[in-house]
Amino acid sequence: MTFANDTEVALISAAALINTGKEEPDQLTTLADLDRFLAEQDFSGSRAHTANELAAVVQLRAELEEVWTSTEDDAVAHVNRMLSDARALPQLVRHDHWDWHLHATGPEAPLEDRMATEAAMALVDVIRTHEMERLRICAADDCSAVVLDLGRNRSKRYCDTGNCANRAHVKAYRARKSATG
């Protein structure tokens, strides 16, 4: 299953937002952290640049993590509430370097509403296609970061936040070597 480009971008951004809270120290504690995250994720639109805006995005992060690990039915309830709270009205737009894609809020809407709506719209596609298993938690024993598996064979097990896959492969290699030797 291949999702539309804007769906993939929104899912990647949602995973990145969740994972800002999985590293030590938390990667989203200051307005400068939020500025950096938004620049990395290529977010556009208005900004309040306030502590309340940062707090709302951190709250959204917790909500998205809950959706990431929920059942399909529970995810539907979360997504519908996020869309309703933002008074989402989907429309096709083209701006900056992006070709036609969906927005469901205007660029002047509060940042947290725009972020929640983009994530919710992407999660709509995940739910409609019964692809919730693409939203995972890292398989490393010492990691709780989220994983977005966009691969054709659905085999991605480790997050992109650190070296989890490399550590697991080294551990398995050493175990094989000690068993044979």
Side-chain angles (χ1 to χ4, degrees), residues 12-53:
I12 290 166
S13 183
L17 177 60
I18 295 166
N19 287 336
T20 62
K22 299 299 181 180
E23 298 177 41
E24 287 295 327
D26 187 318
Q27 300 297 301
L28 200 57
T29 58
T30 68
L31 290 173
D33 293 340
L34 181 58
D35 291 343
R36 185 173 36 260
F37 175 81
L38 296 172
E40 288 169 359
Q41 298 303 315
D42 205 14
F43 250 92
S44 60
S46 66
R47 290 283 310 284
H49 296 280
T50 64
N52 287 341
E53 182 178 66

Side-chain angles (χ1 to χ4, degrees), residues 1 3-15 64 67-68 79 82-83 102 104 114-132 135 148 150:
M1 158 105 291
F3 294 110
N5 184 57
D6 57 331
T7 297
E8 288 187 9
V9 168
L11 290 170
I12 290 166
S13 183
L64 288 173
V67 173
W68 209 270
V79 166
M82 285 191 288
L83 291 170
L102 281 174
R114 293 192 324 273
M115 292 177 76
T117 302
E118 283 196 23
M121 294 292 292
L123 289 164
V124 164
D125 284 351
V126 172
I127 293 165
R128 289 182 330 141
T129 56
H130 303 287
E131 295 284 354
M132 288 293 291
L135 312 179
L148 172 61
L150 295 174

Side-chain angles (χ1 to χ4, degrees), residues 162-181:
N163 295 317
C164 293
N166 189 44
R167 285 194 324 266
H169 292 123
V170 168
K171 184 178 176 182
Y173 171 78
R174 288 180 179 158
R176 283 191 310 275
K177 287 302 245 182
S178 68
T180 61

